[in-house]
Amino acid sequence: VDALLLRPLAASRWLLPSDSSDSGAFGRPRYPFIGAYAPGVGADMRTPRGVGMNGGLSLRSPAAMLKCLAEISPEKVNAYRHSHKLPVLPYDPANQIYFMEDVYYYHALEMLNFPLPSIQEQLEFSVQASFYKDTGGLHGYDKGWYLTTAQIALLLHRDQEYTNLTYIKD
């Protein structure tokens, strides 16, 4: 377990109301991908528009992920980065060197002009390496090098009405 939902997801603003096009009972995600704001994602991993988030605790649209896979190759991601004077990401399948999947997806989504969440929205959804007291989720709390024990305790005890935390196994 390395992620906790601190608020009920079904009642959150991250899911749109269900309609006939949805495959799930809770509706589709507001964004094709939202994950924890990750300031630790260095500039070398961010997109040309500055997007960088962690996928460990995330919501994703399966349809958008499939569109990325169908239309954007890792080579296209690197060409996009190169055209914006950013370093290319290590990618060498012959030697089993691949992109981290979250990095691939947020680049591909940007390239396909999907809407992506702002930093403020990422913080409201989940945190990992930065403290935000009103967040809805916590990822990587067990790593020992993100948030302090005091910050984690504050998040866990912030909302006494939410006593049934949801643990997510990695």
Side-chain angles (χ1 to χ4, degrees):
V1 177
D2 79 339
L4 295 170
L5 290 178
L6 302 173
R7 295 208 167 102
L9 187 59
S12 78
R13 68 186 189 112
W14 306 114
L15 295 174
L16 296 172
S18 186
D19 65 27
S20 60
S21 68
D22 294 325
S23 59
F26 295 115
R28 65 189 182 282
R30 181 169 299 279
Y31 291 101
F33 177 14
I34 187 168
Y37 173 59
V41 174
D44 59 333
M45 301 290 264
R46 294 190 181 279
T47 69
R49 295 182 199 151
V51 175
M53 50 190 153
N54 188 283
L57 173 55
S58 62
L59 287 177
R60 304 180 196 202
S61 159
M65 300 301 104
L66 290 171
K67 184 171 179 68
C68 290
L69 292 170
E71 296 184 24
I72 306 292
S73 68
E75 293 86 359
K76 285 184 179 179
V77 169
N78 271 334
Y80 176 65
R81 290 179 59 79
H82 181 76
S83 73
H84 288 87
K85 300 186 181 355
L86 292 173
V88 297
L89 299 170
Y91 180 71
D92 183 3
N95 290 305
Q96 298 184 332
I97 299 170
Y98 303 98
F99 292 179
M100 290 178 272
E101 47 77 32
D102 47 7
V103 174
Y104 164 79
Y105 282 119
Y106 60 70
H107 275 84
L109 290 165
E110 180 174 294
M111 293 170 67
L112 293 169
N113 292 310
F114 277 96
L116 292 168
S118 68
I119 290 173
Q120 181 64 37
E121 290 170 315
Q122 292 171 45
L123 287 167
E124 291 170 8
F125 175 75
S126 178
V127 295
Q128 175 178 301
S130 56
F131 181 75
Y132 184 73
K133 70 177 181 67
D134 294 322
T135 193
L138 176 59
H139 176 255
Y141 68 90
D142 61 332
K143 306 297 189 259
W145 36 270
Y146 290 134
L147 300 180
T148 68
T149 302
Q151 289 171 324
I152 292 170
L154 182 64
L155 291 173
L156 293 177
H157 300 289
R158 169 195 68 198
D159 297 321
Q160 294 302 318
E161 70 269 25
Y162 297 117
T163 56
N164 297 321
L165 297 176
T166 303
Y167 294 86
I168 301 173
K169 294 182 179 180
D170 60 350

